Structure formats: structure tokens, C-alpha cells
Amino acid sequence: AFLLCAPNKADLMLCIAIMSLCITLFSCSSMSDKESHQSIPVIDWSIKPETEVLDLEDLADIKYIPLETNDSCLIKLATGLALGNDSIAITDITLQKVFIFDSSGECVGIIDRRGEGPEEFPTMSTTAVDFNRKEVYVYSIMKNRIYTYDFKGGYIGKCTIDRPGQYEAIYNYNDSLLIAHDKTNLSMALDMPNDELYRYITINKKSGEVIPLPIRIEQPIGNTIRWHNSDHIDVVKIAGQPIMCDGNRFVIADYSSDTIFEMNNGVRNILACQTNVDKSRKIPDRVQVEAVLGNLVFLEYIRVSEVDKTGIKFDEEVGGSYVYNLETNELKSYTAKRPYLKQDSKTIHHLGIQSKPSTYCFPIYMDQLMDQAENDNLRGPILDILKSLNEDSNPVLMIASFKN
């Protein structure tokens, strides 16, 4: 067990040292034999799992919330979602705003403070929400600062992060800390390993103090490429979400040791080790966590088949979407059927969501609903909801509370 919230920096650094030792001792890559770690589930990617269709209606209680539409709260693109017991926060990076809705969908607050004034942020790069304190944290990469506002948009304060970085996947962790991932220069030459450490950090909300977590990332790949010249591929840069959350529970895929572990209320636990992830390729295979919902961890196995001037091509026969059940230790390939569609084939992906435990939510945009209605592909309560909406309405939020 590893307690993140130590009372002072010295104790925290001691805990980090202990955690580093634990990683060394218990990571999958250092296992001498499977017998000695029988308590840790092992995902063997050499075994072809069976495929199933997951109907979200069978797995979760479904609720639809039409979000209020007026001239002051028109959402263009929901780039981040946070769901509390009685509030919903939707970040729209394209508009540089955060909208606060109550549980019925009424807009009750807007953080719209972009500018150059002392209480304004120059750019909104990403956000985090503390529902207990009713605070929104706006991270600006331009100033390397965290700006804090209340749910009505009132200014509370700001702090400069004491280590420059490019932070993504920032979430509220507790009353005093945020947890984040630093993607600064996180790239890899195709013929060279990437040995960067300390990519996962906690940030003090008030002081900006950074505490690195010694979680190693090695050889990540993504879908953005750089060119040295027109004929030579120089660097592949990382993309995607390295941290997934479910309430105050964070699940992290450690690429170097092929370990999936969680930090739950400050305690670190190994969830599963992986074997037969092919690392012998020029761009090694990797497994990415896409979403975590109760006992279900949604994974993406990624294999790059080719990189050329048009971009990165993925091997869809080897790669794909999988769901791992922590309770039964079963791995299955899957497609998901959304509860408002008659015919569907979808996978579950992350959308910067911080939510109540075992809860998944995403916005359904009006153009999508109109298209599905025209094709007679809608089912359930969404049909009645659509009668009171039009093409200019805000999205309908679908909330799935998983039963496990």
C-alpha cells in the first residue's frame, strides 16, 4: 500500500521512494516466474479472446439529460466532462469556457474569464473540477499556471506550477492536490528507446508545488508525426490519455513494465500484469486504458503496421478493443451497443471524464440525433426527448450508472 497524501513533503518523498521500490519488485517485467505472483492477475495477449456485444442497457441504469439551451450557454464541442452528485461541468476548449449545469440540465454558472487581466486566464488548455469545494481549475500552458474559480465564475486565486511542463489529463485528486501527466518532449526516435521518468505528477492547488511520481514510461507511440525531411521519419509523438479515472480512482497503464495499476484514495494497487505484448517490433506494441467503469477496464491493443508520409497505419487484425473484468479476470474483445440506437457497433472511449464511481457519460449532439432519427435508428426515451428539441439545441447528456 502507498499513501499519497503524506502530511509533508519529506514524508511524501519517503513514500515515493517506497513506491519506486515496490514498482521494481512487483512489476510484470521483473517477474521471475508466474508461480510467485499468483495473486496478481495476468492478461496473456497470445490467447485470442472471444468476442461479445455489450448492450449498455443491460450493464447500466441509463438517464438522459437535455442541457439547457440559450444564447449564453451554447456548447460547440464538449472536450471535457465532470459529473458530481448534483452538478455537471462541461469544458469547451474551442470556446474557452466551462459550463456548470445542475442535475436537471439547467445552466447555473459559466466560467468565461479569458483575457489579460489579473483575474483572467490567457488560454484554457485543460480543466479539473472539485465538486466538494465547488471549484474549477483552469490550466494555462501559456503561463504554466492554475487559475481557480467558483461555479459562478468568481475568481478565487492562481498559482504558478513550480516545474514547467505540458500537462494533460489533469484531474482533481483530493482537497489539496491535482494529479496530471506531463507530455513535454514525450517523443521517440524510431530506433531509440525513450527512458523519460517522472511523467506522472501531483500539483498542489494553492502553491503549485509539483511532486513527481516515479512511474516509468518507455516507448509510447501516438498518432502525430514529425518529419526530418520529405523522405525520412524522424519522430513519433505520443497521443492519447495515459490516466483514466472512475470517481477518485485512477487507473494507469505503465508501458515499460506492462502493468495496469490503480491509485484509489491514495492507495496504489496492481490490477493486472500483461504478457506477450510484442516489444520486438521497431515501434513496440502497447496497451492503452480507454475507460474504467467499476470492475470493467476497457483496453485498446495498439500495433503500428506502417508509418509513411500520410501518417501512422494501425494493424486492425492484431489490435482492437477489449474489456477486462477485474472480478472474473476475463478478457474479451467487444463492441458496445448504445441504449438509444437500434443498430450500433461502437467502442467505449474516454472523453476527459471525471465522474462518480462506475459512471460513464457522454454528450449526444443534435446533428447525430437528427441523422439517426431520419434513418429510423432511435429507440427508448430519447424519442420523446427529441420532440422538444431542435437542430440548434445543446447536446443531450447520456449518463450510464454501471450496476457492478
Side-chain angles (χ1 to χ4, degrees), residues 183-189 194 199 220 226 235-238:
K183 64 175 183 178
T184 307
N185 296 324
L186 191 49
S187 58
M188 55 166 274
N194 186 325
R199 290 296 183 181
R226 275 193 201 162
V235 166
V236 179
K237 293 184 72 67
I238 192 170

Side-chain angles (χ1 to χ4, degrees), residues 52-292:
E52 70 174 327
V53 177
L54 302 178
D55 191 330
L56 293 186
E57 202 165 40
D58 296 333
L59 300 173
D61 295 321
I62 307 298
K63 182 180 181 180
Y64 299 98
I65 301 178
L67 300 176
E68 179 187 357
T69 303
N70 60 52
D71 291 341
S72 64
C73 66
L74 288 174
I75 297 169
K76 186 176 180 181
L77 181 66
T79 54
L81 289 171
L83 181 65
N85 290 323
D86 54 13
S87 301
I88 303 160
I90 297 184
T91 298
D92 189 332
I93 292 295
T94 64
L95 298 177
Q96 297 282 282
K97 297 179 182 180
V98 180
F99 301 94
I100 308 296
F101 297 88
D102 65 17
S103 56
S104 68
E106 180 182 351
C107 186
V108 295
I110 302 174
I111 290 83
D112 181 14
R113 303 296 298 271
R114 185 179 185 183
E116 296 299 328
E119 299 182 355
E120 297 173 323
F121 54 84
T123 57
M124 178 187 292
S125 303
T126 189
T127 62
V129 181
D130 185 335
F131 286 103
N132 291 330
R133 301 173 68 92
K134 297 190 181 301
E135 293 179 349
V136 175
Y137 308 97
V138 176
Y139 165 59
S140 175
I141 193 172
M142 180 181 292
K143 295 289 188 180
N144 196 42
R145 284 179 181 161
I146 300 289
Y147 298 79
T148 306
Y149 301 93
D150 63 30
F151 277 11
K152 296 293 185 181
Y155 175 76
I156 294 176
K158 62 186 174 185
C159 65
T160 300
I161 301 173
D162 70 6
R163 190 184 83 171
Q166 296 179 24
Y167 300 107
E168 66 173 358
I170 294 180
Y171 298 115
N172 186 67
Y173 191 76
N174 56 31
D175 284 346
S176 60
L177 297 175
L178 303 171
I179 189 168
H181 172 255
D182 181 6
K183 64 175 183 178
T184 307
N185 296 324
L186 191 49
S187 58
M188 55 166 274
L190 296 184
D191 57 353
M192 184 182 299
N194 186 325
D195 293 328
E196 292 286 346
L197 297 174
Y198 307 120
R199 290 296 183 181
Y200 297 93
I201 64 166
T202 60
I203 305 171
N204 187 289
K205 297 174 183 177
K206 302 304 179 186
S207 69
E209 180 185 18
V210 168
I211 302 293
L213 302 178
I215 302 165
R216 183 184 181 87
I217 301 177
E218 183 179 303
Q219 297 271 34
I221 58 94
N223 56 14
T224 304
I225 55 178
R226 275 193 201 162
W227 302 100
H228 180 69
N229 58 51
S230 60
D231 299 317
H232 176 67
I233 302 155
D234 182 28
V235 166
V236 179
K237 293 184 72 67
I238 192 170
Q241 294 276 17
I243 300 176
M244 311 305 301
C245 70
D246 178 15
N248 283 330
R249 169 188 180 212
F250 297 83
V251 175
I252 302 173
D254 181 9
Y255 302 134
S256 65
S257 64
D258 289 327
T259 304
I260 299 171
F261 64 89
E262 68 174 353
M263 297 180 70
N264 193 351
N265 293 317
V267 179
R268 176 187 174 276
N269 298 307
I270 294 177
L271 297 180
C273 291
Q274 304 172 92
T275 60
N276 294 308
V277 178
D278 191 348
K279 299 295 185 70
S280 64
R281 301 172 59 82
K282 192 168 187 179
I283 299 179
D285 293 356
R286 72 181 174 106
V287 178
Q288 180 168 294
V289 180
E290 290 290 342
V292 184

Side-chain angles (χ1 to χ4, degrees), residues 318-344:
V318 175
S321 299
Y322 299 86
V323 58
Y324 178 66
N325 191 313
L326 295 171
E327 195 169 55
T328 63
N329 297 329
E330 289 182 307
L331 179 74
K332 293 184 178 180
S333 175
Y334 83 96
T335 58
K337 184 176 181 181
R338 287 167 288 187
Y340 57 92
L341 296 179
K342 295 177 182 177
Q343 300 293 327
D344 191 25

